């Protein structure tokens, strides 16, 4: 119903980005630039997107500097470690994959997001 006004997207496609309560603060549906864009506030969304991208670049530069420092000191540097996934080699394909290691649903039940980085 009314598909022509919704770019002929399915109901699923139209609702994939709907906000949900009690999710991790890193959930992409909480991206402030996205929320502004969906509200039709294009100029503000673009400014916010630029801010977020610069924040990501700063984190990347910091990690790269930490890696260089660790190398100079002869120490190992782990870099970014995902919270709820771990990288493994797929036994069949030999490709590197991410496998859920647990913890998200427990954190959601407790509403304890203290381990989440500030990405927005």
């Amino acid at each position: 119903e009314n598909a022509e006004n919704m770019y002929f997207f399915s109901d699923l496609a139209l609702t994939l980005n709907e906000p949900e309560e009690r999710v991790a603060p890193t959930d992409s549906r909480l991206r402030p630039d996205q929320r502004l864009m969906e509200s039709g506030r294009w100029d503000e969304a673009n400014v916010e997107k630029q801010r977020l991208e610069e924040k990501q670049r700063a984190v990347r530069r910091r990690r790269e500097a930490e890696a260089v420092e660790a190398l100079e000191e002869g120490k190992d540097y782990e870099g970014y470690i995902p919270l709820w996934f771990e990288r493994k080699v797929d036994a069949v394909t030999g490709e590197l994959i991410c496998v859920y290691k647990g913890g998200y649903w427990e954190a959601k039940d407790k509403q304890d997001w203290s381990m989440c980085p500030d990405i927005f």
Side-chain angles (χ1 to χ4, degrees):
E1 183 178 328
N2 208 19
E4 66 278 2
N5 294 327
M6 300 297 180
Y7 307 102
F8 294 96
F9 288 165
S10 68
D11 286 340
L12 174 64
L14 288 169
T15 59
L16 276 176
N17 207 36
E18 287 295 314
E20 180 183 329
E21 293 182 9
R22 302 176 51 83
V23 295
T26 54
D27 190 296
S28 65
R29 293 171 291 185
L30 300 177
R31 281 181 42 181
D33 60 324
Q34 188 170 296
R35 302 270 53 103
L36 288 166
M37 183 192 69
E38 289 179 354
S39 298
R41 298 161 60 186
W42 299 101
D43 292 337
E44 292 171 74
N46 191 46
V47 169
E48 183 62 17
K49 181 176 181 286
Q50 297 300 319
R51 183 191 70 80
L52 290 174
E53 288 174 346
E54 184 50 43
K55 186 173 184 175
Q56 291 170 353
R57 288 185 196 103
V59 169
R60 185 192 69 232
R61 287 190 297 266
R62 180 181 49 82
R63 286 188 183 138
E64 288 171 350
E66 289 172 353
V68 168
E69 185 178 317
L71 182 64
E72 290 171 350
E73 295 175 3
K75 298 178 182 175
D76 288 334
Y77 179 73
E78 291 190 38
Y80 174 73
I81 300 170
L83 291 176
W84 298 297
F85 293 88
E86 58 186 338
R87 294 182 178 110
K88 291 187 174 186
V89 175
D90 185 283
V92 175
T93 67
E95 294 181 2
L96 191 60
I97 60 173
C98 292
V99 178
Y100 179 64
K101 65 180 179 183
Y104 175 82
W105 299 108
E106 295 80 3
K108 186 173 182 175
D109 286 343
K110 294 177 187 173
Q111 283 298 286
D112 177 11
W113 305 115
S114 58
M115 75 298 286
C116 291
D118 174 21
I119 63 172
F120 301 133

